[in-house]
Amino acid sequence: MISYLNGKIVEKGLKYCILDINGLGYKVYTTDEVLRTLRDGGPATFWTHLAVREDALDIYGFVEKDSLDLFTLLINVSGIGPKTAMGIVNVSNPLTLRRAVSSGDLAYLTKVSGIGRKLAEKIILELREKLADYGEEHEDLKGETDALEALKSLGYSERESRDALKKISGENISAGDKVKKALKILGTAK
């Protein structure tokens, strides 16, 4: 019903922002990464999903259409609602999540907060075929997992580590190089 919104930011909350479009304020739930980039009074554009419940109409917004597409796939898995799907999309980029599902990487999926082994197996079972082409195209998921573990062993939290790796995820480099680049990002963030 509401597929796309474009307006200016009026307010930012913990997991949402209020988007003013011609005097009408829309509450848009979005990822932490997107919220960090938004400025009060600044412009914003979202690809959206309208979740209709008995007692609420919630809008979930994404800057990239690919994130929205992955979110839509996730909420079609039985047992995953919009808030859980948003939590999954929030911790990793769509490409890495698609790789994890298509390669059947339970270890990566269970490291996402709120995803246990059974739910991870269900996600893989229901989405693997739909995402099969990502497993063949990209074989460096193990490197991503190794880099995450290395950063955590250096004392960085899982969230800090994932955020740093998310920024370099499009690059096809070794786990060691990912750790080096992530450390540079983490060093400049402090």
Side-chain angles (χ1 to χ4, degrees):
M1 181 181 208
I2 299 174
S3 299
Y4 179 85
L5 293 173
N6 184 17
K8 70 176 186 172
I9 301 299
V10 176
E11 178 185 332
K12 292 190 318 181
L14 189 58
K15 299 280 182 196
Y16 68 89
C17 65
I18 305 294
L19 187 67
D20 176 30
I21 303 174
N22 297 324
L24 185 60
Y26 291 89
K27 185 176 189 177
V28 180
Y29 293 95
T30 191
T31 64
D32 295 341
E33 182 181 3
V34 170
L35 283 171
R36 281 192 293 273
T37 64
L38 299 175
R39 302 289 169 243
D40 286 345
T45 302
F46 293 102
W47 291 98
T48 62
H49 172 82
L50 177 64
V52 179
R53 296 188 330 216
E54 190 174 303
D55 60 344
L57 298 172
D58 294 328
I59 299 173
Y60 293 87
F62 305 90
V63 174
E64 295 152 1
K65 182 120 176 32
D66 193 36
S67 296
L68 171 64
D69 293 341
L70 181 60
F71 175 84
T72 304
L73 284 172
L74 287 167
I75 61 174
N76 286 316
V77 173
S78 61
I80 296 183
K83 288 184 181 178
T84 303
M86 181 59 83
I88 295 169
V89 173
N90 194 33
V91 297
S92 188
N93 67 51
L95 183 60
T96 304
L97 285 169
R98 288 176 190 268
R99 282 188 235 154
V101 170
S102 63
S103 66
D105 191 340
L106 276 174
Y108 186 82
L109 290 173
T110 56
K111 289 181 181 169
V112 174
S113 179
I115 303 295
R117 184 172 179 81
K118 286 185 179 183
L119 191 53
E121 288 172 346
K122 185 182 277 192
I123 291 169
I124 289 169
L125 179 67
E126 293 189 29
L127 297 182
R128 183 181 232 164
E129 198 170 293
K130 294 176 184 176
L131 303 175
D133 55 332
Y134 287 91
E136 295 167 11
E137 255 181 339
H138 306 282
E139 299 175 355
D140 66 333
L141 183 61
K142 180 156 178 28
E144 183 96 12
T145 304
D146 292 345
L148 178 66
E149 292 301 320
L151 291 168
K152 285 172 40 182
S153 71
L154 291 171
Y156 292 98
S157 72
E158 181 147 349
R159 179 179 210 153
E160 289 173 317
S161 302
R162 281 187 187 276
D163 286 348
L165 289 171
K166 199 173 187 182
K167 291 177 182 171
I168 58 170
S169 65
E171 303 176 28
N172 192 11
I173 55 178
S174 70
D177 289 338
K178 284 184 182 190
V179 171
K180 288 177 189 174
K181 286 190 172 206
L183 285 172
K184 286 181 184 176
I185 291 168
L186 290 165
T188 58
K190 291 186 177 186

